Amino acid sequence: MAANLVIVESPAKAKTIEGYLGKDFKVMSSYGHICDLPKGQNAVNVNEGFEPQYIVSKEKEQLVRDLKKAAKAAKLVWLATDEDREGEAISWHLKETLKLDDEKIRRIVFHEITKPAILHAIEHPRQVDEALVNAQQARRILDRLVGFELSPVLWRKVKPQLSAGRVQSVAVRILVEREREIRQHNSTASFRVVGEFLTHGLPFKATLNERFEDIDSARNFLQDALGASHTVKSVETKPTTRKPAAPFTTSTLQQEASRKLGFSVSRTMKVAQDLYEAGHITYMRTDSTNLSDTALEGAEQAIRAAYGDAYHKRQTYSKAAKGAQEAHEAIRPTNFEASKVTDDRDQQRLYELIWKRAIASQMAHAKLENTTAHIDVAGRKEYFAAKGQVITFDGFLKVYLEGSDEEQTDEHDKDRLPAMEVGQTLDRTAIVATERYSKHPPRYTEASLVKRLEELGIGRPSTYAPTISTVQKRGYVEKKDLEGTPRMYRVLEIQGMDLAEREETEMAGGDRNKLIPTDIGSVVNDFLSEHFENIMDFNFTANVEAEFDNIAQGELEWRMMLKDFYGPFKKKVDEVIEEAERPKDRVIGEDPKSGKPVIVRIGRYGPIAQIGDAEDEEKQFASLLKNQSIETITLEEALELFKLPRRLGEHDGKVVTAAIGRFGPYVRYDGKFVSLKAADGDDPHTVTLARALELIQAKIEADAKALIKVFDEDPDTRILNGRYGPYIKHGKKNVTIPKTEDPAGIDWARAQELIEEHAKRPKRGRKKS
């Protein structure tokens, strides 16, 4: 048996590290946390100083036995979990659960999984940092208490099976407030004027310095410009420099991977984790922009070798975000000489992004010349401004340019302006006045929400991705595309000496991959904001994060912090349960047939419209469509919903109907429910019998292809071919069939065995992030 046992978090990391340490070291994995708080009210003993009641999950019991056996046989146990608070807590749990004495353990940390870094860590061990452990414990316990206390309030006052979280609720608030800003935005029109000119036969564009608020003003200007001459009033050239962006933090990596690669936040972190565990990049959960001396030297050598001495400029960066931990390092390559590290497409693309950003951060500033020319319109006070840019030394731009979430309106401003002189008369080829509408504030993407959370000091690098995943899983937020609606705009154009007017159409209001709050998300947000102001307050949440930081630095006692928080919070919870009313339903009008009120509200299965008040025994219900909201639906739209279910006709003597259910619009025939495809224009109010039969036939054919076997002993038990392979459908249970077995050859006895084995398996708990 090896004299040294090293315990890391993941098997991929274990394999890499074992190759560096040699035969005297055995490396094993804890597969993440081995202990956690149990579900239910016994997880934290509030009356005993918030003592957590950690347990080893059933699926980790054998692993713990294996680790105990290996630890007992080893002379030293090296705890090599991640360097952040979560990693420190895992090391502490390993120490406590495996019953390891301080003399026997060594805690080691490293920013990267390379041989020099691992050997350096072995030479500089320490003990488990209990201040970091306490910071993680405080966060885990506080978040458990908030969720445990708030969720029952929501069950009673809003809807069963809802849940709430400290950081997640604030994230939803950001999205709800932005969506309401968008709905309240009144778009105003104005006319933007662009002129097209020639100088020495070379074309360029210039934008008028004013916009016109109405078409008459725009038309008057163009009529005056028809016969006007255009003279260069001024030409001004200014030298400027552009600095490279800092190396990546977790937040900026998530933002840039979204802009340049189209990655979601969770996808970015998964790919970065793979790169880290393979030894290609440094630790990917960090809020520092620092680079080590070794990294600075490596970047310098790579830059001088590839681009020359003039392109190198050593520089350091400070992090502006609240709570940044400068002792950590930015995300960077472990070897700057390696531009390609893997054949995996996602990993290589993200690696290249990290490599370019880190290299660029140590390159010389770019030198540019910005030129602005003002061109008059004879007889008018307005003037055209032409802007151009010339790169005189590309510097870091040779490698990398940071992306932006801002929409570029004047792309020609980045062009190089052709030469012109003051007093020169220019040839005009066209002037175009285009009606443009003011834009609402942009919706958040996953990455821009991370940026906003970081700006507010809410959450930390390890929590951004789980927060965004959680609010979507809970149904409070959806990531979706919004279809635009056609909008007419007007164009006035001078071509030569003629003025023409025309109308054109654009799609307005469309969005792609944006985070949009659901109705239930908005209702929960409003309820929590009304009754739990502190929990929903940005500054309060950021101050809680700062207190976790103080605990990590040994400046605040964690139990006292929890006591100060929990006392007033618990009192408020009890008050709300006793005194608060349910959220008010929205009354949108009166049913013209019955005279009863028409209400929209959250029902058991989602947003619904209702005819009749709560006491009405004959009240009617109808589910809202997916593209409808209880905040914006009109009376007319709601009344349309009550025209369902709609009889489409008969087929083979059986009725075909269209309706809306808890899972969306559908058609029903002979006991079969077939979803309508909104993407294909299907609508339960307008779908034809022919289209319904087409969908039904497609469903019948798909079901026939999926069916492998039906058991005579129980026709409701059948073997189907599913998305993830063959399985047994038994009532509401889906039972996986081992890959080694032929599904067609399974008899009734074997099916019963598999069903019984499935029933005995422990339910999977949620994976901790």
Side-chain angles (χ1 to χ4, degrees):
M1 186 69 183
N4 296 275
L5 173 65
V6 181
I7 305 177
V8 296
E9 284 171 89
S10 77
K13 195 190 299 184
K15 186 177 180 182
T16 306
I17 292 173
E18 194 163 54
Y20 296 146
L21 292 176
K23 58 180 173 41
D24 290 336
F25 288 83
K26 176 181 176 61
V27 185
M28 296 180 69
S29 170
S30 70
Y31 292 83
H33 282 274
I34 60 166
C35 292
D36 197 13
L37 298 173
K39 292 181 180 179
Q41 60 184 5
N42 298 321
V44 180
N45 191 334
V46 174
N47 298 321
E48 295 293 332
F50 299 91
E51 189 66 29
Q53 308 299 308
Y54 294 113
I55 62 168
V56 175
S57 60
K58 283 186 183 274
E59 56 264 30
K60 290 289 182 79
E61 288 176 355
Q62 182 58 50
L63 173 65
V64 168
R65 286 193 286 270
D66 294 343
L67 289 171
K68 277 184 176 179
K69 182 178 179 181
K72 187 176 181 180
K75 291 182 180 178
L76 286 177
V77 177
W78 303 77
L79 302 176
T81 53
D82 288 342
E83 60 174 326
D84 56 12
R85 296 170 195 171
E86 206 74 24
E88 203 71 22
I90 292 172
S91 280
W92 181 75
H93 282 304
L94 286 165
K95 173 190 169 186
E96 297 295 311
T97 306
L98 304 183
K99 296 181 169 45
L100 301 173
D101 296 330
D102 286 343
E103 301 77 37
K104 190 170 183 174
I105 64 168
R106 302 289 185 271
R107 172 74 171 118
I108 57 172
V109 295
F110 35 82
H111 301 311
E112 60 188 64
I113 303 175
T114 59
K115 189 170 185 177
I118 301 303
L119 295 178
H120 182 269
I122 292 288
E123 291 168 4
H124 299 85
R126 59 172 173 80
Q127 288 298 305
V128 173
D129 187 333
E130 298 217 358
L132 290 179
V133 174
N134 290 336
Q136 189 274 345
Q137 282 197 115
R139 174 189 290 279
R140 185 80 183 95
I141 292 169
L142 189 147
D143 286 349
R144 169 59 68 90
L145 291 172
V146 169
F148 184 77
E149 297 286 359
L150 281 186
S151 296
V153 178
L154 296 177
W155 300 346
R156 293 191 190 187
K157 303 296 182 179
V158 183
K159 178 178 174 283
Q161 303 304 311
L162 294 178
S163 57
R166 182 179 58 87
V167 177
Q168 296 94 320
S169 297
V170 176
V172 173
R173 177 190 165 187
I174 293 170
L175 298 174
V176 170
E177 290 183 349
R178 174 54 54 89
E179 196 63 25
R180 288 175 178 162
E181 281 182 68
I182 292 169
R183 287 172 182 165
Q184 292 165 8
H185 174 76
N186 291 318
S187 188
T188 57
S190 62
F191 286 81
R192 177 172 174 267
V193 182
V194 175
E196 299 177 16
F197 302 94
L198 292 174
T199 174
H200 307 299
L202 298 174
F204 68 94
K205 293 181 178 181
T207 304
L208 199 70
N209 68 317
E210 291 186 20
R211 290 194 175 202
F212 299 109
E213 294 183 1
D214 56 77
I215 193 167
D216 290 336
S217 300
R219 187 184 293 117
N220 289 339
F221 171 80
L222 264 67
Q223 287 172 340
D224 289 345
L226 265 173
S229 60
H230 303 283
T231 305
V232 179
K233 290 172 58 180
S234 65
V235 178
E236 184 178 19
T237 299
K238 287 184 178 179
T240 186
T241 58
R242 183 183 292 181
K243 298 178 182 179
F248 281 129
T249 62
T250 302
S251 166
T252 54
L253 176 63
Q254 290 167 343
Q255 292 166 50
E256 198 74 337
S258 174
R259 296 184 194 114
K260 291 184 180 287
L261 306 180
F263 283 10
S264 67
V265 167
S266 57
R267 183 179 177 189
T268 297
M269 296 310 293
K270 169 66 173 66
V271 176
Q273 177 106 24
D274 292 340
L275 287 169
Y276 167 66
E277 292 180 348
H280 299 315
I281 64 169
T282 52
Y283 192 53
M284 66 285 159
R285 292 188 183 93
T286 177
D287 49 16
S288 172
T289 53
N290 284 345
L291 292 177
S292 66
D293 289 341
T294 303
L296 292 171
E297 290 167 7
E300 179 177 351
Q301 291 173 9
I303 292 164
R304 291 185 186 279
Y307 309 111
D309 294 349
Y311 280 86
H312 176 256
K313 178 179 173 64
R314 180 175 288 206
Q315 42 205 320
T316 57
Y317 299 85
S318 61
K319 187 72 171 61
K322 298 178 185 178
Q325 302 171 57
E326 299 294 351
H328 294 171
E329 238 193 304
I331 303 169
R332 62 162 177 84
T334 56
N335 178 9
F336 283 98
E337 293 180 2
S339 56
K340 180 171 172 50
V341 295
T342 176
D343 290 329
D344 182 278
R345 186 170 182 269
D346 278 3
Q347 289 184 32
Q348 182 60 29
R349 291 172 73 205
L350 191 66
Y351 177 81
E352 286 176 3
L353 197 65
I354 293 166
W355 184 90
K356 288 177 180 179
R357 177 84 163 221
I359 282 283
S361 75
Q362 298 304 308
M363 292 180 73
H365 298 173
K367 296 179 181 178
L368 309 98
E369 283 187 352
N370 291 329
T371 301
T372 303
H374 288 174
I375 301 152
D376 70 4
V377 181
R380 298 285 304 201
K381 63 181 177 60
E382 299 89 357
Y383 61 86
F384 287 97
K387 297 180 180 180
Q389 192 175 78
V390 177
I391 299 174
T392 57
F393 174 65
D394 53 4
F396 76 93
L397 292 175
K398 197 173 196 73
V399 173
Y400 181 83
L401 176 62
E402 184 179 24
S404 172
D405 292 321
E406 302 299 320
E407 187 172 333
Q408 300 298 318
T409 55
D410 287 307
E411 287 297 327
H412 55 264
D413 287 356
K414 304 300 181 186
D415 297 338
R416 180 172 188 154
L417 275 182
M420 62 188 82
E421 300 82 35
V422 174
Q424 176 185 348
T425 300
L426 301 173
D427 293 328
R428 181 192 73 221
T429 57
I431 298 178
V432 181
T434 306
E435 190 173 24
R436 285 287 172 249
Y437 293 86
S438 60
K439 295 184 177 179
H440 58 66
R443 290 184 173 88
Y444 286 98
T445 62
E446 287 189 355
S448 61
L449 179 58
V450 167
K451 182 179 180 181
R452 183 61 180 147
L453 289 170
E454 185 182 41
E455 289 169 349
L456 292 168
I458 296 169
R460 289 295 179 262
S462 62
T463 66
Y464 297 139
T467 295
I468 288 172
S469 295
T470 298
V471 297
Q472 292 179 72
K473 287 176 184 173
R474 287 179 175 171
Y476 294 158
V477 174
E478 292 178 330
K479 183 165 68 173
K480 60 196 293 190
D481 297 341
L482 294 179
E483 292 183 16
T485 55
R487 179 173 64 188
M488 183 272 292
Y489 66 97
R490 295 167 291 184
V491 179
L492 292 76
E493 183 172 8
I494 293 176
Q495 286 284 4
M497 293 302 293
D498 297 320
L499 174 58
E501 298 185 19
R502 66 181 184 274
E503 292 183 353
E504 295 191 0
T505 303
E506 63 185 354
M507 297 300 289
D511 254 329
R512 288 185 58 79
N513 281 328
K514 296 299 173 66
L515 295 176
I516 300 172
T518 62
D519 279 330
I520 190 63
S522 298
V523 171
V524 168
N525 170 77
D526 293 347
F527 182 84
L528 293 177
S529 295
E530 180 182 354
H531 298 291
F532 297 94
E533 293 180 18
N534 278 356
I535 293 294
M536 301 298 286
D537 182 77
F538 297 146
N539 290 328
F540 178 84
T541 307
N543 288 339
V544 170
E545 295 290 350
E547 289 184 326
F548 292 147
D549 293 341
N550 292 337
I551 293 169
Q553 292 156 16
E555 298 171 0
L556 181 63
E557 207 282 316
W558 70 279
R559 296 178 195 269
M560 185 60 66
M561 179 262 183
L562 289 174
K563 181 180 178 183
D564 291 344
F565 170 88
Y566 186 71
F569 171 68
K570 175 61 175 169
K571 182 181 178 183
K572 185 66 175 175
V573 167
D574 294 340
E575 286 176 5
V576 172
I577 287 177
E578 290 298 320
E579 301 171 10
E581 295 181 358
R582 293 177 61 86
K584 290 183 180 179
D585 301 333
R586 179 176 169 234
V587 180
I588 59 175
E590 188 177 278
D591 176 29
K593 292 181 181 178
S594 65
K596 295 178 180 180
V598 180
I599 297 164
V600 284
R601 64 180 181 85
I602 297 297
R604 178 165 186 165
Y605 299 117
I608 61 170
Q610 174 181 314
I611 296 178
D613 55 30
E615 290 75 30
D616 189 341
E617 293 183 0
E618 297 180 351
K619 54 184 174 287
Q620 298 172 263
F621 305 98
S623 297
L624 269 60
L625 296 170
K626 281 194 173 181
N627 62 347
Q628 293 176 328
S629 165
I630 59 176
E631 294 195 17
T632 58
I633 190 172
T634 64
L635 175 63
E636 292 73 21
E637 290 168 339
L639 291 174
E640 279 292 312
L641 298 172
F642 290 95
K643 294 179 181 178
L644 301 174
R646 176 171 153 255
R647 182 186 170 110
L648 305 183
E650 292 187 7
H651 179 67
D652 290 342
K654 294 168 183 172
V655 176
V656 181
T657 58
I660 302 173
R662 61 182 292 196
F663 301 113
Y666 66 89
V667 290
R668 182 179 184 181
Y669 170 73
D670 193 22
K672 290 187 181 298
F673 296 83
V674 182
S675 296
L676 289 173
K677 299 179 180 179
D680 294 341
D682 293 337
D683 185 311
H685 295 97
T686 58
V687 67
T688 64
L689 177 62
R691 173 60 176 160
L693 293 175
E694 179 187 332
L695 292 169
I696 290 164
Q697 185 59 37
K699 170 72 170 171
I700 291 170
E701 291 174 3
D703 288 349
K705 287 180 182 177
L707 182 63
I708 297 174
K709 187 171 188 174
V710 178
F711 292 97
D712 294 335
E713 293 86 348
D714 180 2
D716 289 333
T717 300
R718 50 189 61 195
I719 299 178
L720 302 172
N721 205 355
R723 182 178 176 186
Y724 302 108
Y727 67 97
I728 300 171
K729 179 76 173 174
H730 178 68
K732 293 184 178 181
K733 294 186 178 70
N734 294 334
V735 180
T736 303
I737 295 173
K739 291 182 179 179
T740 54
E741 296 191 36
D742 176 15
I746 292 176
D747 59 17
W748 177 244
R750 178 56 179 151
Q752 289 294 93
E753 288 176 4
L754 291 171
I755 292 167
E756 287 173 13
E757 287 173 12
H758 176 84
K760 291 176 183 177
R761 287 181 194 166
K763 291 183 179 179
R764 291 183 182 178
R766 280 187 184 172
K767 185 179 178 182
K768 294 288 175 293
S769 299

